[in-house]
Each structure stands twice: as C-alpha cells, then as structure tokens.
C-alpha cells in the first residue's frame, strides 16, 4: 500500500511499522503535495524532514496561508488538535490558539472528556468555509431534553457557535462539568446560536437480540447501547450551518 493514498473524502498517510495512520480532508492539490514528500513519526505527530514542517502545520499553511502561520508564531499561538489526536490533521480538527490555552485544555478539558465516555462523547470542530464552530455530543446514557414543554430523550445533539474558540471551549467544559456533577446540563446557560438534536429510537427487542449490539429493522441497522457498547465521536452536522429553521 502507498504511504499517501486517498479513500473517499480523506487523505491517509500510512505508517504500518509504527501502527499509525494520519489523515486529513481530501483536496486534489493538497493530495499531490503530500504525495511528493516523505513523512516520518516525530513524537505524537508526523513530520517531513525535507519540508522541515509538521503535517498539522503544513495543512494549516495550505488552507490559511503562510502568513497566518507566521502571525500565529509571532503571537505565541500554536496549532491545536481539538480532539487531542496528533494524527488527526483534518482542517476541521485544527485551530490556532494561545500556547497557554493549549496547555490548560490538555490538563483540564481533554482529561475530563476522556473520563466521561461512559456518559457521553463530546467534541467540537471548526468549519473552514464558515469559520464557525460546532459542538457535537453522543449520549451513552439516557439524556432528556425539554423543548417547548415537551420532554424528549435524545441520542445526539449539535450546538453551533461563531468563531470564538475560548467561548466554545468554555461551553464544552461547562457541559462536561455539569454532567459529571449532576447527570445533566442546563442548556439555557450555554452561548450557542443554533442547536439540533436527534431523538432516541425505542425498539422492543426479541429475546434472541438482547445479547447482541446491532439489530436490523426494515433494512435499517440500530446500535444497542449497553454497558459494553458506546457511541463514538459524532461528525459535523452540515445542515446546521445553513438551516435558518434551527433554533
């Protein structure tokens, strides 16, 4: 298998000897550039010796321009991997933030997020086209949302924000803190501009299905959440960026 290859809308850089796979969104020009260099593992990141650049910084330079990298360096900013995975170099997972905030995020938010996967999986992204952020949540335990006086149990939720990393991080941290302490969070205390939720699906299980993790109904497959099965990261919901009917 080639070191740099495309699969669907993703570019992968494969390092099989180290059992590592780095990736970013597919862009034809970027794909050609990445294929023209050799990438090696340097700590928790990929780096090109010929370029003398890390992959995540090269991706940011490609999208935002060389001047943006220089300005970030001059201001003491770093390129943060929002999900704390140095091999996830999707542009939606990268953001310029102050070095002090990057360190604080790793010691507080990222640590708490890892501790709470039994309750929920929370992450956030930055949309390159709009500059907006989106928090996405997958609930691994029962979570109730009250909407117009109706109580609705939900599986996933999406919160849209303008271009303010610190505000988004504060809200994401607030959600984790409140769920850890109270088992729920107060949505009215958040600073989002829009939100979407996906209601839970209730299905009566046959006796033969109760020990499994996936069932099929009318051609659709459903994941059964239990003590051993958890939802992973929820990707961006693109509808929320342009849907004016979203609250």
């Amino acid at each position: 298998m080639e070191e740099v290859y495309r699969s669907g809308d993703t570019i992968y850089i494969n390092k099989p000897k180290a059992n590592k796979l780095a990736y970013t969104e597919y862009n034809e020009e970027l794909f050609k550039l990445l294929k023209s260099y050799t990438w090696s593992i340097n700590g928790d990141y990929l780096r090109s010796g010929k370029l003398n650049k890390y992959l995540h910084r090269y991706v940011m330079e490609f999208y935002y321009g060389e001047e943006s990298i220089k300005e970030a360096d001059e201001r003491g900013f770093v390129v943060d991997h929002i999900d704390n995975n140095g091999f996830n170099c999707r542009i939606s997972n990268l953001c310029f933030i102050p070095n002090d905030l990057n360190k604080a995020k790793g010691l507080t938010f990222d640590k708490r997020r890892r501790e709470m996967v039994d309750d929920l999986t929370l992450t956030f992204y930055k949309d390159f086209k709009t500059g907006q952020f989106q928090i996405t949540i997958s609930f691994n335990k029962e979570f109730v949302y009250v909407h117009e006086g109706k109580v609705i149990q939900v599986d996933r939720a999406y919160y849209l924000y303008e271009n303010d990393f610190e505000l988004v991080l504060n809200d994401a941290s607030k959600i984790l803190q409140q769920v850890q302490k109270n088992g729920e969070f107060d949505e009215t205390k958040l600073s989002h501009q829009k939100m979407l939720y996906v209601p839970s699906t209730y299905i009566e299980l046959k006796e033969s299905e109760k020990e499994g993790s996936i069932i099929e109904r009318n051609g659709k497959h459903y994941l059964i959440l239990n003590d051993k099965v958890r939802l992973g990261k929820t990707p961006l919901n693109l509808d929320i960026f342009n849907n004016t009917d979203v609250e």
Side-chain angles (χ1 to χ4, degrees), residues 100-152:
D100 289 347
L101 183 58
N102 173 263
K103 292 178 179 178
K105 172 177 171 285
L107 294 172
T108 56
F109 173 74
D110 290 329
K111 182 175 182 292
R112 178 175 276 122
R113 175 166 53 178
R114 289 192 297 269
E115 293 172 347
M116 296 188 63
V117 292
D118 285 343
D119 297 296
L120 54 83
T121 301
L122 180 151
T123 192
F124 56 93
Y125 307 86
K126 183 174 184 180
D127 180 61
F128 175 72
K129 292 182 179 179
T130 65
Q132 295 173 303
F133 284 92
Q134 185 179 141
I135 291 177
T136 71
I137 308 174
S138 300
F139 296 100
N140 288 315
K141 289 185 177 179
E142 291 187 0
F143 182 82
V144 171
Y145 172 63
V146 180
H147 178 66
E148 295 181 350
K150 296 180 180 178
V151 177
I152 306 165

Side-chain angles (χ1 to χ4, degrees), residues 94-236:
L94 303 176
C95 189
F96 293 116
I97 67 171
N99 187 40
D100 289 347
L101 183 58
N102 173 263
K103 292 178 179 178
K105 172 177 171 285
L107 294 172
T108 56
F109 173 74
D110 290 329
K111 182 175 182 292
R112 178 175 276 122
R113 175 166 53 178
R114 289 192 297 269
E115 293 172 347
M116 296 188 63
V117 292
D118 285 343
D119 297 296
L120 54 83
T121 301
L122 180 151
T123 192
F124 56 93
Y125 307 86
K126 183 174 184 180
D127 180 61
F128 175 72
K129 292 182 179 179
T130 65
Q132 295 173 303
F133 284 92
Q134 185 179 141
I135 291 177
T136 71
I137 308 174
S138 300
F139 296 100
N140 288 315
K141 289 185 177 179
E142 291 187 0
F143 182 82
V144 171
Y145 172 63
V146 180
H147 178 66
E148 295 181 350
K150 296 180 180 178
V151 177
I152 306 165
Q153 186 171 327
V154 299
D155 282 344
R156 297 185 300 279
Y158 308 85
Y159 297 89
L160 184 69
Y161 293 79
E162 289 306 318
N163 187 5
D164 189 332
F165 181 93
E166 194 161 4
L167 175 65
V168 177
L169 180 60
N170 286 340
D171 267 14
S173 299
K174 190 182 299 181
I175 291 170
L176 294 179
Q177 289 169 352
Q178 291 186 3
V179 171
Q180 192 173 50
K181 183 178 180 180
N182 306 314
E184 59 185 13
F185 66 93
D186 185 353
E187 183 176 81
T188 65
K189 303 297 184 182
L190 304 180
S191 302
H192 61 282
Q193 299 201 336
K194 296 180 182 178
M195 72 86 62
L196 279 173
Y197 64 87
V198 178
S200 301
T201 300
Y202 291 93
I203 297 174
E204 185 174 350
L205 299 178
K206 301 174 185 176
E207 194 63 35
S208 61
E209 296 172 327
K210 292 182 179 180
E211 297 300 321
S213 57
I214 297 177
I215 62 169
E216 184 267 335
R217 291 288 189 278
N218 301 319
K220 291 184 177 181
H221 291 84
Y222 298 88
L223 186 69
I224 303 173
L225 297 182
N226 53 43
D227 291 340
K228 298 180 180 179
V229 179
R230 295 287 180 266
L231 292 172
K233 288 195 304 183
T234 297
L236 278 168

Side-chain angles (χ1 to χ4, degrees), residues 20-23 44-45 81-89 93-94 105 113 233:
K20 296 291 184 180
L21 193 66
Y23 48 95
D44 294 325
Y45 310 100
H81 292 77
I82 295 173
D83 70 353
N84 208 34
N85 176 4
F87 292 92
N88 179 0
C89 295
N93 188 52
L94 303 176
K105 172 177 171 285
R113 175 166 53 178
K233 288 195 304 183

